[in-house]
Amino acid sequence: MAGDQPTSKREQNPGNCCVGGGVAPDGKTEPPNPANADRGCTDILFLLIWIAFWVGMVVVAALAFDKGDITELFYFINYLGKKCGQNGLGKYTYFTHPTNSASNICVDSCPGGGADSSGLYTMYQLDSTASNGYTTSQASESVWTSSYSGDCLSDTKPPTTQYGVGPCGVYGSTAPKGLYICVPDSISDFGSSASSAATDALSGYAEEIKAVIADLIAGWWILLVAAGGSLVVSFIWVQLLKYCAGCFVWTVILGSVLITAAMSYMGYYLYDYYKDEYDDHNIENDRTLAYTFLVLCGIFGLFAFILLCMVICLCKKIRIAIGIVKEACEAVTSMPLIVLYPLCQYAAFLIFLAVWIVVAGYLASTGTVSQSVDSNTNATTYSVSYDTELVRAMCYHLFGLLWTTAFLRHFTICVIAGAVGGWYWTPYIDGDKKDLPLAPVVGSVWRTFRYHQGTIAFGSFIIAVIEAIQLVIEYIKRKYLDENACLKCIASYIQCCLECFKRIMEFLSRHAYIITACKGKNFCTAAWEAFNFILDNLTQIAAVNWISMYLMFLGKVFIVLGTVVICYICAVTDDDISSVIVLLVVCGVIAYSVACMFLSVFETGIDTILMCFMWEASAKGSFIGGYVYATDHLNCFIEGINVDAATDGDQRAAKEAFKEQQTPDSGRKDES
């Protein structure tokens, strides 16, 4: 039992990947014990840096709130390039010519429209010489109506008098809550002709949108079914994998060999056919086709031979990979709540992102908008300038987004690895892991939070730095290298190399976190051990990754299709739903999101099981207590140990009783 294991000690041989703790006098080593290991805080220096960085984030937020005003982001710029709400201009943007984007002016409040007490209507005329950019006049109803039958609804003519466009009548408008842009109250305000044209253009889209929204509202319960049903289908997929993973994998492998062999035979058959045609008719095209198919025959034949050799040579590793997938299924089934933990990560990220966006909005609002006109083309461009101090604050804030996002993602990996590792290193006795730690997921969260935040900060910092360099190169490429194809190509090549390096570091960090979660090591030690582990087990890792990638793809297809079928059955029974297409698309998106969340946990579990199994296999039964930790899916591949004796509870109890009889004084020694 787990209680029979000796108390964990601080690791005395960190260089040995098979060692989880101390070494007994008989030469046996202590296995990793994630749940009860004697841990200490790792990478304290980076933990302090992480805390100091977040103090800096708070300072940046305070600076943004002090110097910025986020409401200014909702102020638009008028057609002269002046920002509304500044220099005496009104806060609200109103378009004097509703279909012309170059007719926006700044007003104190959105006009209400309609005639005044004298029966006259207000008209707006753009005038660049006026202080506010426009002039007003009064006109009769007929003039007001005729203005919208002419150029006031034109989107091609610049709305100024020099192009023959006169004043336009004021229409009723209001601003949506929180925005400073005036939206027409009714299309009919523009007159019958304008109303008819606009209605014809918009009515079809409006009706379709209303129908879609009505279907989504009526089918709200089906969306809930999609969320819950996709989770149920995910667990069904895990059960299928537990019993059918080998069938899935071997079918694809043998099918690939047979298909490539068949393609080779088909190439030879067509070569023989066109060769005979050439011999009979002496047409050069037949000869070309014959040799083309001969080359294809050779290529497919060589590929089939190589694939067959790989299957024969890697047969054991493929069987181990299948066993690892089944073992991961056992772990997820034993800890079903583990698949919901990523929701905590997403919730934390959404909270952080909301705060980050607010602070970024305040920082962005500190800029000064300027307008410039090209003397040759008369094109108007706008630019925003910031103080140097605020530019640095923005860069700091952006890096905070990169680092925190990577930190949350890596924290989740470490938590899942700790929970799965705790499950794996529970002794397997009598066909079960009876001494599984209580609340393994909660325990893993506590250990990660209490001891390994510094390690996660270290690993995520490396990823954040790489991503920041990528952003800098992308900025330089867009701003300065558009006209230099050679330098732009070099920059793209550097970006490609950085992306490859980032993926390598993500892969290495992932395995380092597994070591940290299982053994409590710091990032550098864990990363070095992970690097050696990857080099020593490259073919096994490749086999596991290939098989898991294939099964993850099948899993996503199975979960999405299964959920959509369930939702379709529910939707056709609801008479309030006019069309199920959009509803099923939304259900498919929900199912895909749940599948990605579920299978990301499963994928981390596979990597953890792989590493733990390789540690146990390399130990060859030299762990203290002689326990076997892998289940029947994998323990048959462990050499140097009698699996049946090690996993039989009755035999172990008899052996322990015999040892006690051989040492009759042990009880008195314990009492003393």
Side-chain angles (χ1 to χ4, degrees):
M1 300 296 177
D4 298 331
Q5 297 182 72
T7 304
S8 299
K9 300 177 182 178
R10 183 68 68 178
E11 294 185 2
Q12 299 176 5
N13 188 5
N16 190 339
C17 69
C18 303
V19 176
V23 179
D26 59 359
K28 292 192 173 184
T29 58
E30 184 180 344
N33 191 355
N36 301 307
D38 183 15
R39 296 176 183 266
C41 291
T42 54
D43 297 293
I44 298 178
L45 177 60
F46 254 92
L47 176 61
L48 296 176
I49 294 174
W50 171 248
I51 295 173
F53 179 83
W54 263 95
V55 172
M57 290 287 285
V58 174
V59 172
V60 168
L63 177 66
F65 294 146
D66 179 56
K67 295 192 174 183
D69 181 6
I70 199 170
T71 58
E72 290 193 7
L73 293 180
F74 300 99
Y75 299 157
F76 292 82
I77 298 174
N78 69 4
Y79 73 100
L80 295 174
K82 297 179 181 179
K83 194 170 187 178
C84 297
Q86 295 181 354
N87 302 321
L89 297 178
K91 294 182 178 180
Y92 294 87
T93 298
Y94 173 86
F95 288 86
T96 59
H97 302 61
T99 60
N100 198 313
S101 61
S103 66
N104 49 319
I105 61 175
C106 301
V107 295
D108 294 326
S109 61
C110 293
D116 59 15
S117 58
S118 303
L120 298 177
Y121 289 78
T122 302
M123 309 286 287
Y124 281 163
Q125 172 69 59
L126 300 184
D127 185 356
S128 59
T129 61
S131 60
N132 56 3
Y134 65 96
T135 58
T136 60
S137 59
Q138 302 296 116
S140 63
E141 182 178 0
S142 59
V143 175
W144 181 91
T145 303
S146 63
S147 67
Y148 286 108
S149 300
D151 294 326
C152 286
L153 289 180
S154 172
D155 59 355
T156 56
K157 289 186 177 181
T160 55
T161 53
Q162 70 181 94
Y163 290 94
V165 180
C168 292
V170 173
Y171 53 87
S173 60
T174 54
K177 188 175 181 180
L179 297 178
Y180 294 91
I181 182 170
C182 300
V183 178
D185 292 332
S186 174
I187 297 177
S188 61
D189 286 347
F190 303 136
S192 58
S193 60
S195 175
S196 176
T199 302
D200 292 340
L202 299 177
S203 60
Y205 296 107
E207 291 301 322
E208 290 180 5
I209 293 174
K210 287 180 181 179
V212 169
I213 295 175
D215 288 339
L216 292 177
I217 293 175
W220 64 269
W221 62 276
I222 299 178
L223 300 180
L224 294 180
V225 169
S230 57
L231 202 57
V232 173
V233 175
S234 298
F235 278 104
I236 294 175
W237 172 249
V238 168
Q239 296 304 315
L240 281 176
L241 281 186
K242 189 188 298 185
Y243 300 103
C244 304
C247 179
F248 292 154
V249 172
W250 286 114
T251 298
V252 171
I253 292 175
L254 296 179
S256 300
V257 175
L258 292 176
I259 289 174
T260 51
M263 294 294 291
S264 178
Y265 172 77
M266 182 60 68
Y268 179 80
Y269 174 81
L270 292 174
Y271 158 75
D272 187 63
Y273 172 79
Y274 282 106
K275 183 176 181 298
D276 292 340
E277 288 291 315
Y278 175 73
D279 293 340
D280 294 340
H281 304 94
N282 200 28
I283 299 176
E284 189 64 28
N285 187 50
D286 291 337
R287 181 184 181 186
T288 302
L289 288 174
Y291 284 110
T292 300
F293 285 115
L294 180 62
V295 172
L296 291 176
C297 170
I299 292 175
F300 281 110
L302 180 62
F303 187 72
F305 176 75
I306 294 174
L307 191 58
L308 181 62
C309 291
M310 289 178 61
V311 171
I312 294 173
C313 296
L314 300 178
C315 180
K316 182 179 179 180
K317 295 188 182 298
I318 294 173
R319 291 169 56 208
I320 291 175
I322 295 172
I324 288 171
V325 171
K326 293 181 177 180
E327 196 88 341
C329 294
E330 295 278 3
V332 172
T333 304
S334 301
M335 303 177 293
L337 292 181
I338 195 173
V339 301
L340 299 179
Y341 178 76
L343 292 177
C344 300
Q345 172 200 340
Y346 298 148
F349 175 73
L350 289 177
I351 293 172
F352 162 74
L353 185 62
V355 176
W356 188 90
I357 289 174
V358 171
V359 176
Y362 273 92
L363 287 171
S365 66
T366 60
T368 302
V369 180
S370 58
Q371 178 188 25
S372 60
V373 180
D374 192 321
S375 58
N376 297 323
T377 62
N378 291 325
T380 302
T381 58
Y382 304 99
S383 60
V384 184
S385 59
Y386 296 92
D387 294 338
T388 303
E389 178 187 22
L390 292 170
V391 171
R392 293 172 180 170
M394 289 179 180
C395 294
Y396 190 95
H397 192 59
L398 177 60
F399 186 77
L401 174 66
L402 301 178
W403 194 359
T404 305
T405 302
F407 181 90
L408 292 174
R409 186 173 66 250
H410 291 188
F411 191 94
T412 299
I413 293 173
C414 196
V415 168
I416 295 173
V420 175
W423 175 88
Y424 185 93
W425 293 110
T426 300
Y428 182 69
I429 299 176
D430 291 334
D432 193 13
K433 291 178 176 285
K434 301 178 181 179
D435 294 326
L436 187 67
L438 183 64
V441 179
V442 176
S444 183
V445 172
W446 166 247
R447 293 192 300 271
T448 305
F449 182 82
R450 169 67 176 83
Y451 298 108
H452 305 308
Q453 285 196 73
T455 297
I456 297 172
F458 195 169
S460 56
F461 175 79
I462 296 174
I463 302 300
V465 168
I466 298 173
E467 292 175 341
I469 295 174
Q470 287 179 306
L471 290 177
V472 170
I473 294 176
E474 182 65 23
Y475 172 79
I476 294 173
K477 188 171 71 171
R478 290 177 179 270
K479 189 172 181 64
Y480 301 107
L481 304 181
D482 273 344
E483 298 180 358
N484 193 320
C486 181
L487 292 179
K488 191 174 182 179
C489 180
I490 294 175
S492 299
Y493 176 77
I494 295 174
Q495 283 182 307
C496 181
C497 293
L498 285 172
E499 182 63 26
C500 292
F501 181 62
K502 188 182 92 168
R503 290 173 182 264
I504 293 172
M505 290 306 302
E506 286 275 16
F507 185 76
L508 184 63
S509 298
R510 187 185 191 88
H511 288 78
Y513 294 139
I514 295 173
I515 295 173
T516 297
C518 292
K519 298 183 179 181
K521 294 186 177 182
N522 61 47
F523 183 79
C524 290
T525 304
W528 176 248
E529 184 172 323
F531 178 76
N532 290 321
F533 172 84
I534 293 170
L535 289 182
D536 294 340
N537 302 279
L538 203 56
T539 54
Q540 185 63 71
I541 292 174
V544 171
N545 286 344
W546 180 85
I547 290 174
S548 64
M549 181 176 63
Y550 162 67
L551 294 177
M552 294 305 104
F553 172 75
L554 281 186
K556 290 177 182 178
V557 173
F558 180 84
I559 294 169
V560 172
L561 291 182
T563 304
V564 170
V565 169
I566 294 174
C567 293
Y568 175 78
I569 295 173
C570 296
V572 295
T573 61
D574 194 330
D575 296 333
D576 295 330
I577 298 176
S578 59
S579 175
V580 299
I581 295 178
V582 176
L583 185 63
L584 292 181
V585 169
V586 176
C587 290
V589 172
I590 294 174
Y592 182 78
S593 301
V594 173
C596 290
M597 179 189 73
F598 185 94
L599 295 176
S600 66
V601 174
F602 192 69
E603 189 175 7
T604 302
I606 289 175
D607 291 338
T608 305
I609 295 292
L610 167 63
M611 185 166 279
C612 292
F613 169 73
M614 297 309 295
W615 290 339
E616 185 177 9
S618 61
K620 297 182 179 179
S622 63
F623 285 141
I624 296 174
Y627 290 99
V628 170
Y629 298 91
T631 67
D632 293 335
H633 300 303
L634 287 174
N635 56 31
C636 56
F637 298 105
I638 300 176
E639 300 176 358
I641 189 171
N642 187 337
V643 175
D644 293 333
T647 58
D648 191 311
D650 294 335
Q651 291 189 39
R652 295 189 63 86
K655 186 185 296 184
E656 294 296 332
F658 177 77
K659 288 183 178 179
E660 291 180 2
Q661 292 177 2
Q662 296 299 316
T663 56
D665 296 334
S666 59
R668 290 192 295 272
K669 290 180 181 179
D670 292 340
E671 293 175 0
S672 63

